């Protein structure tokens, strides 16, 4: 069979992408198919999930069905590599693994692997002084390049790798030039360095090499002229002077420093103590914030005085060496962990004179697997001067050698981008005197004797400062409100804020308002937050890809959640998973900083992570799967809100249909617990009903709204009530359920009535009444008539009001509805009072009170007692009125009815004013006003006017 698996596979990525099976070159197909193969090649022998491939090929510009595209390209590659393979036979070169694919290849099949091995060998040779061998290996490594890496391959992954490898290649070229200079062949590199500094005028290392080559060739004037050109380039492109190292070299050339001669340089190359190596990344000049974290670390470290005597003297007393300190800095992608660690390392560098080492452990690096502990130890041991032939093979022996090397040293280690405690633990020193700063995207609770710093996003003011610094001009100061909005859309995440500022910096024609408009489109937001090889989406993608498939699934499904935060049970419903398993999954995502825990049992996304999760869900879950997940979620909310309503309004007329097993829904011990849960959910309730309409789940949409009546009414949440019911009304109509439509109209009428929009309320009630009569629902008709009577009364149409209420009472009595009868009696009693028919009013109210006491309806009991008090006041029977008010207050407070409490306090104020107790009237009205103001109730204006009247009248 003619298959690549029967022959040796070779892949070239350091130039145009090519693949060979033996002597036969494989035709890799159209551009995006080649791009997909490039991803598999870079991750050979590791599974690459479909989501990663989709992101690598299209980034934010997704086609309609990206999964289909991936399948088509994989099939095309399999035909190319295995032309004789049967249609249903498993792939042998490109294997299917769950929801991903794996390219099977030998360890040296990819030219990039050979390049990296040659470079590592060359650097080892430099460390042992074998410069000729080092130059040969550097030449072999560079000879593998055939132009730009992945030349002509499209897609964000290829672009990122192309930029990364171009930078790597330049670094290796500079390493080779160091070796050539050390071997005394100065003239041989001057031409190459001139070309390099012309093409890359901001590479200060190349300028320093050119200056050194000129100087050693006896051309001091050319060396100084090279510095002048470097300074001009930095000033022109950066507005800065060259760095301190280049300025120091210029000064040394001016004074003809003998240490720059070849003999000294060669001796230093061979004999320099690697233990004093300092390879920290450049400190960030525009570092913003993190003062508390800096203070915490700096204040907890024993910092010796002086500079020359930092190493403990021989025979020092025990305890004179500061203890080993380990700090683990964790936080979400882009929050600034590495920046903080590097800033701290530079601040503390002088306290650790034996060296400051930085090592990227590559837990989240595009195209690279995390370093094993053994590989990391190999790099650290070489960094402190241990020859390769002295480094043990076994990881445990390497760890022991590493601890021995550090036993008498004061070293500062930055272990960046760690994957977990198991990766880091073998790298820690075993004795006192050193400092280790670890960064990780997940918490590392497995590390002992470690201090943990979890970074949050920046405060708004510091994020705005960072944005202004990244923008580099006056526009942020000129548009402070737009700046604040941009920072807010970025969620105060440093990476996002810096990228937004960088985009503005390179768009002189843009205003910040224009940038804000671009970021305002949620579908484009992550695409906008990208500049060159820095991308918020890419950073999030690495965190996402590090999760197991089941964790990835629940993460992306949570991107569907309409509200700002969710519970474990809601997440379990969305995922169709067990509650206990979901709890473990959410806690894992919190540890990985892919979720925040706002309080125990409640979770939320950072805003940009929520956008990313939604994008992943659209890319990986079919439309039917997304709708099924939303249906499960809304079913859960229908049942849970219905459970809450049962405790808030136990005598309501309608309830949800219960499935045989409804254990997944929340259940509540009492009314207070139900209200507390709804308070916590409040911000997500309207979005839930909106989502129901968008997904065509109309039955759930109107039901959730309907069962929120008691909550909205108790808490007097009029704006939420109107918004929710206006969304629910078209749901009920599309569902073809006239009873549901009527009930939603009644809710809208009740809300408008409370807002004193009585004409609008009557319009809603009239439409609801017609529907109730059409379907022959007599109890519903009676309820609407009761509400109509109340609104007519507010418009002064007393006759119409009494007629409606009398009709309502008759229907309720006919149907045997005691709760409805009580409501009708209570309302009719109010109308009789308004008409001066006091004895009839009291009779109705007493009958209503007896009914609600029998039913145990404490809330309605409070309403009736309040009405009785007002009737007694109208009759001048003030002591009885005061007694009923106190009883009403107790009932209001028992049921946490704050609006009702305010109404009764208002009633008390009127009674005290009527009997001349002005001070007590003022006190009661002040208490009522406080509650009405808290609830943003229209009645507050009336009470305020009453207090003003008291003040005018002394």
């Amino acid at each position: 069979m003619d298959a690549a698996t029967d022959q040796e596979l070779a892949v070239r990525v350091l130039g145009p992408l090519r693949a060979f099976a033996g002597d036969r070159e494989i035709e890799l197909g159209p551009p995006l198919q080649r791009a997909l193969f490039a991803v598999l090649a870079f991750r050979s022998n590791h599974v690459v999930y479909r989501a990663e491939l989709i992101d690598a090929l299209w980034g934010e510009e997704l086609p309609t069905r990206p999964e289909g595209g991936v399948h088509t390209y994989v099939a095309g590659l399999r035909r190319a590599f295995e032309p004789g393979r049967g249609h249903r036979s498993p792939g042998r070169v490109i294997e299917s693994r769950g929801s991903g694919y794996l390219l099977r290849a030998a360890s040296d099949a990819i030219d990039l692997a050979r390049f990296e091995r040659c470079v590592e060998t060359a650097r080892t040779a430099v460390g042992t002084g074998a410069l000729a061998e080092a130059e040969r290996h550097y030449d072999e490594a560079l000879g593998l390049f055939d132009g730009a890496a992945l030349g002509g391959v499209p897609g964000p992954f290829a672009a990122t790798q192309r930029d990364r490898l171009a930078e790597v290649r330049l670094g290796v070229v500079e390493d080779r030039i160091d070796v050539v200079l050390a071997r005394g062949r100065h003239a041989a590199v001057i031409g190459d360095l001139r070309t390099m500094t012309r093409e890359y005028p901001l590479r200060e290392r190349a300028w320093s090499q050119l200056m050194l080559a000129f100087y050693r060739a006896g051309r001091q004037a050319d060396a100084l002229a090279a510095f002048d050109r470097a300074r001009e380039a930095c000033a022109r492109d950066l507005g800065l002077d060259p760095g301190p190292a280049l300025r120091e070299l210029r000064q040394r050339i001016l004074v003809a420093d003998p240490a720059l001669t070849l003999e000294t340089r060669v001796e230093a190359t061979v004999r320099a103590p690697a233990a004093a190596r300092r390879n920290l990344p450049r400190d960030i000049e525009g570092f913003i914030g993190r003062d508390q974290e800096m203070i915490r670390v700096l204040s907890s470290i024993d910092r010796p005085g002086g500079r020359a005597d930092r190493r403990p003297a021989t025979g020092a007393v025990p305890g004179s060496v500061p203890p080993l300190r380990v700090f683990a800095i964790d936080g979400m992608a882009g929050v600034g962990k590495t920046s903080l660690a590097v800033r701290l390392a530079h601040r503390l560098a002088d306290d650790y004179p034996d060296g400051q080492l930085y090592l990227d452990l590559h837990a989240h690096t595009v195209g690279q697997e995390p370093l094993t502990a053994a590989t990391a130890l190999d790099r650290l041991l070489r960094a402190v001067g241990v020859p390769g032939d002295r480094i043990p093979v076994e990881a445990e022996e390497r760890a022991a050698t590493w601890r021995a090397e550090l036993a008498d040293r004061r070293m500062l280690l930055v272990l960046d981008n760690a994957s977990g405690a198991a990766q880091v633990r073998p790298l820690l020193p075993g004795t006192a005197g050193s400092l280790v700063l670890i960064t990780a995207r997940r918490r590392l609770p497995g590390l002992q004797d470690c201090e943990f710093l979890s970074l949050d996003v920046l405060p708004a003011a510091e994020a705005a400062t960072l944005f202004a610094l990244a923008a580099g001009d006056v526009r942020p100061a000129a548009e402070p409100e737009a700046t604040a909005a941009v920072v807010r859309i970025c969620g105060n995440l440093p990476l996002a804020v810096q990228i937004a500022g960088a985009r503005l910096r390179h768009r002189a024609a843009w205003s910040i308002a224009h940038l804000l408009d671009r970021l305002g489109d949620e579908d484009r937001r992550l695409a906008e937050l990208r500049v060159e090889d820095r991308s918020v989406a890419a950073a999030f993608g690495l965190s996402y890809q590090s999760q197991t498939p089941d964790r990835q699934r629940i993460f992306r499904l949570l991107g569907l959640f309409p509200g700002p935060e969710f519970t474990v049970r809601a997440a379990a419903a969305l995922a169709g998973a067990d509650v206990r398993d979901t709890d473990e999954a959410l806690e894992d995502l919190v540890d990985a900083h892919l979720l925040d825990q706002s309080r125990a049992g409640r979770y939320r996304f950072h805003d940009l992570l929520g956008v990313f999760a939604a994008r992943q869900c659209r890319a990986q879950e079919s439309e039917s799967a997304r709708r099924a997940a939303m249906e499960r979620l809304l079913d859960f909310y229908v049942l849970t809100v219905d459970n809450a309503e049962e405790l808030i309004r136990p005598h309501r007329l309608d309830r949800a249909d219960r499935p045989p097993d409804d254990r997944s829904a929340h259940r509540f011990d009492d009314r207070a617990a139900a209200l507390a849960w709804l308070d916590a959910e409040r911000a997500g309730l309207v979005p839930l009903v909106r989502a129901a309409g968008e997904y065509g789940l109309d039955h759930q949409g109107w039901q959730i709204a309907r069962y929120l009546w008691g909550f909205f009414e108790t808490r007097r949440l009029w704006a939420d009530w109107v918004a929710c019911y206006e969304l629910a009304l078209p749901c009920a109509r599309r569902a073809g359920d006239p009873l549901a439509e009527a009930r939603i109209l009644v809710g809208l009428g009740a809300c408008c009535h409370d807002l004193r929009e009585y004409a609008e309320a009557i319009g809603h009630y009239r439409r609801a009444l017609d529907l109730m009569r059409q379907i022959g629902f007599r109890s519903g008709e009676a309820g609407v008539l009761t509400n109509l009577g109340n609104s007519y009364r507010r418009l002064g149409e007393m006759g119409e009001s009494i007629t409606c209420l009398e009709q309502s009472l008759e229907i309720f009595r006919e149907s045997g509805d005691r709760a409805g009868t009580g409501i009708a009696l209570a309302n009719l009693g109010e109308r009789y009072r308004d008409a001066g028919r006091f004895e009839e009013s009291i009779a109705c109210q007493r009958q209503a009170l007896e009914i609600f006491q029998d039913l145990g309806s404490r809330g309605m009991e409070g309403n009736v007692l309040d009405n009785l008090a007002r009737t007694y006041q109208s009759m001048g029977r003030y002591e009885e009125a005061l007694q009923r008010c106190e009883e009403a207050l107790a009932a209001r407070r028992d049921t946490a009815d704050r609006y009702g409490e305010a109404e009764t306090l208002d009633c008390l104020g009127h009674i005290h004013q009527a009997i001349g107790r002005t001070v007590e009237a003022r006190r009661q009205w002040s208490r009522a006003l406080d509650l009405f103001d808290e609830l943003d109730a229209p009645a507050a204006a009336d009470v305020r006017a009453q207090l003003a009247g008291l003040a005018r009248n002394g």
Side-chain angles (χ1 to χ4, degrees), residues 10 184 315 400 417 425 485 516 544 588 618-619 644 669 714 814 896 929 931:
N417 201 4
R425 201 176 291 114
L516 178 61
Y544 170 73
D588 282 350
R618 289 193 299 272
D669 293 335
T714 299
E814 284 176 6
L929 180 60
L931 286 173

Side-chain angles (χ1 to χ4, degrees), residues 663-686:
R663 289 175 297 175
S664 63
H666 279 293
R667 295 188 179 277
F668 308 100
D669 293 335
D670 52 33
R671 187 174 190 271
L675 286 168
W677 182 83
L678 286 165
D679 285 335
E681 293 282 332
R682 177 189 167 189
L685 297 175
V686 173

Side-chain angles (χ1 to χ4, degrees), residues 393-458:
V393 174
E394 297 297 327
E396 290 185 7
E397 294 179 12
R398 288 183 181 181
T401 303
W402 171 242
R403 290 192 295 271
E405 286 291 326
L406 296 191
D408 297 320
R409 306 181 197 234
R410 294 202 63 200
M411 296 280 290
L412 189 157
L413 306 177
V414 178
L415 302 177
D416 191 25
N417 201 4
S419 62
Q423 183 190 37
V424 169
R425 201 176 291 114
L427 315 183
L428 300 180
T431 53
S434 292
L435 168 67
V436 184
L437 302 173
I438 304 164
T439 74
R441 291 192 186 181
R442 63 180 304 114
R443 295 180 173 89
L444 305 176
L447 288 181
Q448 296 179 335
D449 300 321
C450 175
E451 296 188 46
F452 299 96
L453 287 77
S454 288
L455 297 190
D456 200 352
V457 297
L458 291 173

Side-chain angles (χ1 to χ4, degrees), residues 755-770:
L755 291 170
R756 303 187 177 187
E757 298 168 355
Y758 303 118
E760 289 85 346
I762 288 170
H764 291 308
Y765 290 145
R766 280 292 180 194
R767 288 192 293 276
L769 186 62
D770 290 342

Side-chain angles (χ1 to χ4, degrees), residues 578-590:
D578 176 76
V579 172
R580 183 172 298 178
D581 292 343
T582 302
D583 180 67
E584 292 177 4
L586 297 185
E587 289 299 316
D588 282 350
L589 293 172
V590 168

Side-chain angles (χ1 to χ4, degrees), residues 492-563:
N492 294 0
L493 183 68
L495 175 63
V497 170
Q498 287 177 315
I499 289 175
R503 294 211 67 194
L504 188 70
R505 186 183 198 122
H506 295 285
R507 295 290 187 276
W510 285 11
S511 65
I512 299 179
H514 177 73
L515 174 63
L516 178 61
D517 184 59
R518 296 176 71 93
L519 292 172
D521 183 348
E522 190 171 289
D523 291 336
R524 290 178 51 193
R525 188 170 302 158
L526 291 176
E528 292 292 332
L529 292 173
R530 178 179 189 147
V531 56
E532 294 188 337
D533 62 341
R534 303 181 75 203
S535 162
V536 171
F540 289 167
L542 292 168
S543 294
Y544 170 73
Q545 291 155 16
S546 71
Q547 301 301 303
T548 59
D550 62 313
R551 299 300 190 254
Q552 290 183 10
R553 177 178 178 271
I554 196 166
F555 171 85
R556 62 179 178 260
L557 284 176
L558 287 169
L560 294 173
F561 195 86

Side-chain angles (χ1 to χ4, degrees), residues 639-684:
L639 296 176
T640 300
V641 172
D642 182 63
N643 288 341
E645 182 78 334
E646 184 68 21
L647 293 165
I648 298 169
R649 287 204 311 151
H651 303 297
R652 60 201 169 119
L653 296 177
D654 56 316
R655 289 165 175 80
D657 296 329
R658 313 298 295 191
D661 182 5
D662 63 352
R663 289 175 297 175
S664 63
H666 279 293
R667 295 188 179 277
F668 308 100
D669 293 335
D670 52 33
R671 187 174 190 271
L675 286 168
W677 182 83
L678 286 165
D679 285 335
E681 293 282 332
R682 177 189 167 189

